[in-house]
Amino acid sequence: MTDDIDIQKHIKGLIDEEHGLRARLGTGEISVEDENHRLKAIEVELDQCWDLLRQRRAKREFGEDPAAAEVRDAKVVEGYRG
């Protein structure tokens, strides 16, 4: 992902996938286990994307290059929760 617009498009795609999974579960196309497994992965990826956007905005605010922001490991991003 190269810029904020790309990251936001990726976030939208993940949200669309999340909605699609819920619809597929409702029609019986996938199991609850399959939905939960993929939803968990989407949640982590969304957290990483939001974190990346926050990093980019902070760098921009302080006169640094937003392109220097990097996707952080899932363990780091998920560790913010508690």
Side-chain angles (χ1 to χ4, degrees), residues 49-63:
C49 288
W50 286 117
D51 175 69
L52 182 58
L53 277 176
R54 283 189 294 274
Q55 287 182 62
R56 290 178 57 82
R57 288 177 181 155
K59 286 187 178 298
R60 195 175 293 114
E61 181 179 338
F62 291 99

Side-chain angles (χ1 to χ4, degrees):
M1 292 178 267
T2 58
D3 63 23
D4 292 3
I5 299 296
D6 289 338
I7 298 166
Q8 291 167 346
K9 286 179 183 176
H10 189 67
I11 288 170
K12 181 171 179 350
L14 290 169
I15 292 169
D16 290 346
E17 182 181 355
E18 182 180 47
H19 292 163
L21 284 169
R22 293 179 196 280
R24 290 176 59 205
L25 177 66
T27 61
E29 293 177 51
I30 60 172
S31 69
V32 171
E33 294 80 17
D34 289 340
E35 181 209 31
N36 287 337
H37 178 74
R38 183 60 190 141
L39 284 176
K40 194 169 286 197
I42 289 172
E43 180 181 320
V44 170
E45 196 169 345
L46 280 169
D47 288 345
Q48 288 175 307
C49 288
W50 286 117
D51 175 69
L52 182 58
L53 277 176
R54 283 189 294 274
Q55 287 182 62
R56 290 178 57 82
R57 288 177 181 155
K59 286 187 178 298
R60 195 175 293 114
E61 181 179 338
F62 291 99
E64 297 177 30
D65 181 7
E70 296 181 358
V71 175
R72 293 190 237 224
D73 185 77
K75 290 179 183 177
V76 172
V77 174
E78 295 302 295
Y80 293 155
R81 292 184 180 187

